[in-house]
């Protein structure tokens, strides 16, 4: 059972982080967001938390290896891909304007 978690959690964490960051961005552009409250610090904090969770999942895969070499190699590749995906897909939070 732990092997299934090892293989699925990093990409699941990416999906959760991606959804949360862009849900916050959508909320910050809606009429329900206070106009005097800047959304950029909250979006940057959510992005940083998503990256930190991905880094922690990668460290967990590295420092707690699986007994199966296939599962270890695959989970390492998935964790690295999820970390790169988190940085790349949420990079517009840093570079683009909040609401276009």
């Amino acid at each position: 059972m732990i092997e299934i978690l090892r293989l699925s959690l990093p990409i699941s964490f990416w999906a959760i982080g991606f959804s949360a960051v862009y849900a916050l961005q959508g909320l910050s552009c809606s009429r329900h967001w206070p106009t005097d409250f800047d959304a950029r610090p909250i979006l940057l904090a959510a992005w940083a938390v998503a990256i930190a969770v991905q880094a922690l999942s990668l460290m967990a895969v590295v420092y707690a290896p699986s007994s199966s070499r296939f599962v270890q190699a695959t989970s390492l590749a998935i964790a690295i891909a999820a970390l790169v995906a988190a940085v790349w897909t949420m990079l517009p939070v840093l570079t683009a304007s909040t609401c276009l």
Side-chain angles (χ1 to χ4, degrees):
M1 182 67 172
I2 193 78
E3 282 81 11
I4 294 172
L5 291 175
R6 179 183 302 276
L7 292 169
S8 64
L9 279 181
I11 209 73
S12 297
F13 288 152
W14 169 80
I16 292 166
F18 181 83
S19 300
V21 167
Y22 284 110
L24 279 172
Q25 185 173 10
L27 180 63
S28 70
C29 293
S30 74
R31 63 183 170 93
H32 300 291
W33 193 264
T35 56
D36 58 340
F37 195 66
D38 188 23
R40 183 158 300 275
I42 292 175
L43 289 171
L44 292 175
W47 183 69
V49 167
I51 300 300
V53 167
Q54 291 299 331
L56 287 174
S57 70
L58 177 62
M59 288 177 20
V61 167
V62 170
Y63 290 119
S66 174
S67 59
S68 167
R69 290 181 56 197
F70 174 76
V71 170
Q72 179 63 25
T74 306
S75 61
L76 183 62
I78 290 171
I80 291 170
L83 178 61
V84 170
V87 171
W88 182 254
T89 60
M90 292 183 242
L91 195 62
V93 169
L94 288 176
T95 59
S97 65
T98 305
C99 300
L100 295 176

